[in-house]
Structures are given as C-alpha cells and as structure tokens.
Amino acid sequence: DHRDLHSFPTRRSSDLWLPQNTTIPLAVCFVVASCYGGLLPDADIPHSTAGKHLRILLWPFYLLKKILLILGHFIKPLKKIGTSLGHRGLFHSPLFHTLIFVMLSALLRGHNEWLRCILSGLYLGVLSHLLLDLFSGGIPSAFFPETQVRAA
C-alpha cells in the first residue's frame, strides 16, 4: 500500500505556537524571548535581574507577600501563604507558568505571530530555568506546595 506523502494532513502555521516557515528575525526574537523567560522565575526576588526590571509591575505582589508574612505572626495560615510567595514558591511552580501560558495563548490565538513567538520563547525560557532548578534545590510540587521536587 503506497501512500503519497503529500496526502498526509498538515497543520497551518497559525495552529502552532511557532510558525513552520519562520524567518530569521522571528527566530532571533524567539531566542531573545527565551533568554528573558529564563530570568522570570526569579522575579520574586526584588534584587534579581528580573525583579529589578519588573519592580514597577510586581510591587503589589511584594507588598502582599510582606503583609501576609506580618499577619502570619497572628494567623498561621496566612504565614504559609506568604511563605509560598517567597523564592522557589509560586514563581517556581511549573503549574503556575503553564496556566499563565495557556491563558495568554488562548487570548493571542489568531493574533500577530510576533506576540505568539515572544510568548512561546518566554515559556520555553521559564521551563528551562525550572528544569535546571531541579538539579539545584528543587521546585515546588504542583500538588503539595510544602514539598520540593528534585532531580537526584
């Protein structure tokens, strides 16, 4: 039974996160976005590179974390929530970043390929950061936030 290779169904580039026939500028955009994405999980530290550049956007997050930690001295569950917002907490959760990525992907479906390229690059960068963190202290478990997942 001989099948013609051209008869197999193909996906349109708009169905993919990255276009199939990408251009060099788009590929460079993807690589640069991946580099920035690799910094994003550390944005929960105000003095980190990402924390410094995103401070204007993240100040409500930093304030909420401080308030929860202070109130946590009186109401114990609030301390756990405040601690989970610390380093290697929410921002190091693959589930958190995947939910953000899926929501933004749905919003950007059918939009400019440059925006989708940037989003895909950021997500790949985040995932690579989290993968490397598996070897250096772990990342929070998606289902048990108090536990850390480690590679070895």
Side-chain angles (χ1 to χ4, degrees):
D1 183 15
H2 178 340
R3 292 185 172 202
D4 183 15
L5 291 178
H6 299 291
S7 67
F8 284 105
T10 59
R11 295 179 68 176
R12 295 176 307 152
S13 63
S14 62
D15 293 338
L16 302 174
W17 292 334
L18 288 175
Q20 289 176 340
N21 300 321
T22 190
T23 62
I24 290 176
L26 202 58
V28 169
C29 173
F30 178 80
V31 170
V32 170
S34 296
C35 292
Y36 279 107
L39 300 173
L40 285 179
D42 286 336
D44 57 359
I45 305 172
H47 62 274
S48 70
T49 301
K52 287 177 189 174
H53 288 85
L54 297 174
R55 186 172 297 155
I56 192 75
L57 297 174
L58 293 176
W59 72 265
F61 170 79
Y62 298 140
L63 181 63
L64 175 65
K65 181 170 68 170
K66 294 267 188 211
I67 290 171
L68 289 172
L69 289 174
I70 290 169
L71 292 176
H73 291 293
F74 309 105
I75 306 168
K76 293 298 178 196
L78 293 181
K79 186 171 186 175
K80 279 191 171 203
I81 295 170
T83 303
S84 72
L85 296 178
H87 188 55
R88 296 216 173 169
L90 179 67
F91 278 51
H92 274 72
S93 167
L95 182 61
F96 170 73
H97 288 288
T98 300
L99 288 174
I100 297 289
F101 177 72
V102 168
M103 287 189 304
L104 290 176
S105 291
L107 289 173
L108 295 176
R109 177 169 236 108
H111 281 75
N112 186 322
E113 67 184 7
W114 286 90
L115 291 175
R116 290 179 303 158
C117 179
I118 291 169
L119 179 63
S120 297
L122 288 171
Y123 186 61
L124 180 69
V126 166
L127 291 181
S128 66
H129 181 116
L130 299 179
L131 178 67
L132 291 171
D133 275 354
L134 283 174
F135 297 98
S136 66
I139 59 174
S141 167
F143 304 105
F144 304 100
E146 290 85 27
T147 61
Q148 296 280 314
V149 178
R150 297 171 196 255

